[in-house]
Amino acid sequence: MSESKIIIDIVVDVQKDFITGALANEQAQANVAHLAQTAQSHARAGHWMFFTRDTHPDNYLQTREGRHLPVAHCIQGEDGWNLAAELETAMSDTEPAVCRIIDKPTFGSYMLPGDILDELMAHNRSVEDIEKFVIYGYCTDICVISNAMVLRAAFPETEIEIQADCCAGVTPQSHQTALDAMQACQFTILK
């Protein structure tokens, strides 16, 4: 097959609640425009784009996660659940070959590898056709690292890069701790 290798971007939870909403984050506010420009640039360069959305029910506070993090956020259908306006605007004039939104009920999407495999099959491609994954979004120390680990387990021979300048953690310290942990697990950290 003469087709070029595929680069797949995993854009994690770039939602209003993680930027200016219920779990507002100054680091995310500071880099969301850069993140949106990066996503737009990658889409225009031909990357396949997968966007995850943290997605919770109305009874979030009664869930296991809600009992440990008692801040209602990313409630499906509410404004804070929506992708950031900056990202929506940046992506509005792109037409990637693959552009999927994946709603996930927990930190890491166990369905993400299957969704990727489905797209590969739909395009008559295989895992060997993936050049690399590029992962970025919010929060580095919770959902970014969780999805990175899910992908590492599912695609052990595929290069995975973390675009650190397009990530933000709950705190700057926890962001760095997550980057250090991912580097120890053989992810490439791009700054």
Side-chain angles (χ1 to χ4, degrees):
M1 191 174 261
S2 63
E3 293 183 74
S4 62
K5 291 279 195 171
I6 303 162
I7 299 174
I8 300 175
D9 282 32
I10 309 298
V11 186
V12 178
D13 299 359
V14 182
Q15 295 165 268
K16 293 178 180 182
D17 269 349
F18 294 122
I19 302 165
T20 57
L23 295 170
N25 182 302
E26 290 180 12
Q27 289 76 37
Q29 292 167 26
N31 78 11
V32 68
H34 172 65
L35 181 153
Q37 291 170 345
T38 299
Q40 179 186 61
S41 172
H42 288 188
R44 287 181 176 164
H47 295 204
W48 288 12
M49 306 299 292
F50 285 77
F51 300 90
T52 69
R53 280 191 303 207
D54 199 37
T55 302
H56 299 297
D58 291 340
N59 71 338
Y60 170 78
L61 294 175
Q62 283 74 53
T63 67
R64 187 210 48 81
E65 181 184 324
R67 288 189 301 275
H68 291 275
L69 176 61
V71 178
H73 66 281
C74 298
I75 306 301
Q76 188 168 10
E78 292 186 5
D79 190 50
W81 174 69
N82 292 318
L83 296 175
E86 295 89 343
L87 184 60
E88 292 275 4
T89 299
M91 295 304 296
S92 67
D93 67 346
T94 63
E95 294 183 25
V98 172
C99 186
R100 296 268 308 262
I101 295 176
I102 298 164
D103 294 333
K104 58 182 190 54
T106 188
F107 304 141
S109 176
Y110 64 90
M111 298 297 293
L112 183 58
D115 291 330
I116 292 166
L117 292 171
D118 288 347
E119 285 296 341
L120 287 168
M121 287 191 294
H123 288 83
N124 199 29
R125 306 295 291 269
S126 71
V127 171
E128 290 75 28
D129 292 320
I130 302 172
E131 178 179 333
K132 64 183 174 181
F133 292 102
V134 181
I135 304 174
Y136 46 99
Y138 310 129
C139 292
T140 319
D141 45 326
I142 301 174
C143 294
V144 171
I145 193 172
S146 295
N147 284 287
M149 294 299 185
V150 166
L151 290 175
R152 172 54 67 227
F155 302 96
E157 295 301 320
T158 304
E159 177 68 23
I160 301 176
E161 297 176 347
I162 308 301
Q163 189 76 47
D165 64 338
C166 294
C167 292
V170 173
T171 68
Q173 296 79 16
S174 63
H175 165 77
Q176 188 57 53
T177 298
L179 293 175
D180 292 343
M182 288 186 282
Q183 187 166 18
C185 291
Q186 302 178 352
F187 295 89
T188 300
I189 309 299
L190 304 175
K191 304 227 176 194

